[in-house]
Amino acid sequence: MTAFAAHYGLDEMRGYVPQAAKRVEGISGWSVGMHLHHVNLAMIGVFRSLAASEPPVPQSAFNPVRAMVFTSGRIPRGRAKSPEAAVPSDGIGDAELVAMLDESERLLEASRTLSPDHWYRHFAFGVLDRDRTLKFIRIHNRHHLRIVRDILRA
């Protein structure tokens, strides 16, 4: 694992795979594995979309929600609903989670080599250039890792 991938929490996620079945309803309706599955579905989808985008970055209006999340570095819990493509499955196997983490890491590393003019259109934040997309993924991963840690401490 590269230091870059570790910065996005991928090494920490790998350590939680054996505890994927743990769930604490008072903290989250999702199990640890579902949080890991969701984060990887998001990363894989976002990085593929980013790679497929055609520069230049489309114009994007000021977005107060994006400004708040990117400034604070935090996503409020229980506020956003996941897009259908990133809704996790319950009971996903450890081997599949590890394979998804491997794919997420590969795509994360590849995204670093893209032109800064590549972009991703987020359902709530609007258009994000490559660097803002990477920042969103880092914030999103940290958000779910906080929830996972809370589940495992309960």
Side-chain angles (χ1 to χ4, degrees), residues 15-132:
Y16 296 143
V17 169
Q19 301 167 79
K22 182 153 186 193
R23 179 189 314 251
V24 178
E25 289 294 332
I27 295 170
S28 175
W30 290 356
S31 67
V32 167
M34 291 175 78
H35 281 279
L36 298 178
H37 189 212
H38 164 73
V39 165
N40 282 281
L41 287 169
M43 283 191 287
I44 291 166
V46 166
F47 293 143
R48 285 181 178 163
S49 179
L50 186 67
S53 70
E54 294 284 334
V57 179
Q59 290 293 326
S60 181
F62 175 75
N63 182 309
V65 174
R66 178 181 65 215
M68 187 263 311
V69 168
F70 278 51
T71 300
S72 70
R74 294 183 77 99
I75 298 170
R77 282 197 190 178
R79 294 289 181 106
K81 184 171 169 40
S82 295
E84 190 63 35
V87 173
S89 300
D90 200 3
I92 188 163
D94 291 3
E96 188 172 352
L97 286 173
V98 169
M100 290 182 83
L101 282 159
D102 292 344
E103 178 71 356
S104 293
E105 182 175 358
R106 187 185 70 72
L107 292 171
L108 171 64
E109 293 293 338
S111 72
R112 295 174 59 189
T113 67
L114 295 172
S115 157
D117 290 335
H118 279 265
W119 54 276
Y120 168 70
R121 187 179 311 274
H122 186 273
F123 73 97
F125 300 149
V127 175
L128 306 173
D129 64 20
R130 181 202 64 190
D131 294 341
R132 281 186 166 182

Side-chain angles (χ1 to χ4, degrees), residues 1-22:
M1 165 132 343
T2 67
F4 185 72
H7 185 62
Y8 285 78
L10 298 181
D11 55 343
E12 185 177 352
M13 288 180 214
R14 286 180 193 282
Y16 296 143
V17 169
Q19 301 167 79
K22 182 153 186 193

